Amino acid sequence: TTLQLRPGVGGLGSKANVVSVQLHVDHITQLTVALDIPYDLDWPYFAGQYAFLHIPAISHLQQHPFTISSAPSEDFKPMMTVVNTRKSYDDESMQVLLDDGLEHGRLVTFHIKNMGRTPEEKQFTSQIEELAQRMIAKRQPVPITIEGPYGNPLGSVTYPIHARALVLVAGGIGITPVHSIYREIFLQSRNPDRYRSGLYRRVETVHLVWVARTPALLNIFPDLEELASFASSSSVNPSGVKFIIELYATDKAASDAMVSQAVRQFMKRSRPNLDEVFRRILESWSPYDMILAINKSGLVATL
């Protein structure tokens, strides 16, 4: 089946709607986007890729690239719209479920940090956060155009990656493409037949290192708890893939009350000694068997 892309600003794009928003700590806005495409036609993308968002409610002329933070194999519920609100940036989010009566196509998520929170620094990401606050008040979807996907995050989206060990290092909101990658490997590895025929079939170990300012930032992806619970068992899944997690929260004064016990056992209240982290990894893997992907912000850079 050929997917016909609709014309959008600045190139080809697909019509879509922002059907869910969630406001997280550190002024991070989560957008869930439903593509206006029949669900059986899909909107194929690879973990770690990005897309351009054109949001007429913010600007009729601008479009900006953002990493897709969800995993391609994520099992979304296409009939449900979720609107999350919170009392403040440090309080736990309250969740309200709404059924908008529409049948959506594929759902993808974006986690976007407000990079300009003063009037002098106001920019597109600031307006996204303001739009999310208006959506929470009105509880109405917002039409957008999404162009993409683009990017070649681990060196190939056509051939299996060569590495047996995949080391993913992220700082702060730089976790977005890293989350998409490790979540996709985790989901695919549950099915041995699918994993052995997929892009990551040579990967035996996934090592995640995420450095966050506050422990609360570790909550922006609830599935981290599932991964942490699995990693704590020191077992491998049906496909033989082992997951290793190292989490760091550098603000020692920040509360970790919102962090689950499963995640907290992998969290250290300090800055990481990356030289020591890499030394330990190299004791187990040859550089020829390993891909090291580091992402502080923006797209993944593969070394």
Side-chain angles (χ1 to χ4, degrees):
T1 302
T2 301
L3 177 61
Q4 298 294 330
L5 296 178
R6 298 174 172 84
V9 173
L12 294 178
S14 297
K15 291 182 179 179
N17 287 279
V18 178
V19 295
S20 164
V21 295
Q22 182 171 355
L23 300 175
H24 293 287
V25 296
D26 290 346
H27 294 267
I28 294 171
T29 299
Q30 176 182 332
L31 303 181
T32 300
V33 173
L35 281 97
D36 186 16
I37 297 173
Y39 205 68
D40 56 349
L41 291 183
D42 206 359
W43 187 76
Y45 69 96
F46 292 93
Q49 288 190 305
Y50 66 96
F52 283 83
L53 299 185
H54 169 236
I55 308 176
I58 294 177
S59 171
H60 288 283
L61 299 178
Q62 296 184 58
Q63 60 176 4
H64 293 268
F66 297 102
T67 304
I68 303 167
S69 54
S70 51
S73 297
E74 197 70 68
D75 184 18
F76 284 106
K77 296 178 174 59
M79 290 296 295
M80 187 64 70
T81 297
V82 183
V83 177
N84 293 35
T85 62
R86 62 181 175 190
K87 298 177 182 177
S88 75
Y89 282 101
D90 298 318
D91 290 340
E92 187 172 2
S93 298
M94 293 165 33
Q95 193 171 83
V96 180
L97 299 181
L98 302 173
D99 188 346
D100 62 9
L102 300 176
E103 184 174 356
H104 303 306
R106 176 189 279 275
L107 301 183
V108 296
T109 65
F110 299 85
H111 287 69
I112 301 169
K113 183 171 182 176
N114 181 348
M115 303 303 292
R117 294 189 292 274
T118 67
E120 295 77 16
E121 299 174 329
K122 194 167 186 178
Q123 53 181 270
F124 194 76
T125 55
S126 311
Q127 294 171 304
I128 287 178
E129 184 177 35
E130 293 170 0
L131 175 65
Q133 292 167 343
R134 294 197 299 272
M135 284 188 65
I136 289 173
K138 295 181 179 180
R139 299 190 180 184
Q140 293 179 345
V142 170
I144 69 170
T145 299
I146 181 170
E147 178 192 331
Y150 297 114
N152 195 9
L154 291 178
S156 175
V157 293
T158 305
Y159 303 101
I161 63 174
H162 70 272
R164 295 168 58 203
L166 185 57
V167 183
L168 304 172
V169 182
I173 193 59
I175 190 65
T176 50
V178 168
H179 170 265
S180 180
I181 293 168
Y182 81 67
R183 179 64 175 167
E184 180 65 10
I185 296 175
F186 184 75
L187 293 173
Q188 286 193 22
S189 64
R190 291 174 167 178
N191 185 328
D193 291 336
R194 181 185 178 193
Y195 193 77
R196 283 193 289 266
S197 62
L199 188 67
Y200 308 103
R201 60 177 176 262
R202 296 173 183 167
V203 176
E204 300 173 13
T205 298
V206 179
H207 193 129
L208 170 65
V209 181
W210 183 11
V211 185
R213 185 178 65 84
T214 65
L217 184 61
L218 303 176
N219 283 338
I220 66 173
F221 294 111
D223 54 65
L224 181 61
E225 182 175 357
E226 179 184 13
L227 180 65
S229 297
F230 180 85
S232 65
S233 64
S234 300
S235 61
V236 294
N237 60 16
S239 297
V241 183
K242 183 178 181 181
F243 292 88
I244 302 172
I245 304 175
E246 293 188 55
L247 306 173
Y248 297 86
T250 60
D251 187 346
K252 297 180 180 181
S255 171
D256 63 357
M258 293 171 57
V259 180
S260 70
Q261 181 59 40
V263 172
R264 189 180 292 122
Q265 65 181 312
F266 294 101
M267 182 181 68
K268 297 180 181 179
R269 304 301 301 269
S270 65
R271 294 183 180 276
N273 183 335
L274 291 180
D275 288 341
E276 173 64 20
V277 171
F278 297 149
R279 185 190 63 77
R280 285 190 280 105
I281 293 171
L282 289 171
E283 288 177 352
S284 302
W285 296 100
S286 162
Y288 299 102
D289 291 327
M290 181 179 67
I291 284 181
L292 170 62
I294 301 177
N295 191 40
K296 180 179 179 182
S297 62
L299 301 178
V300 171
T302 305
L303 305 181

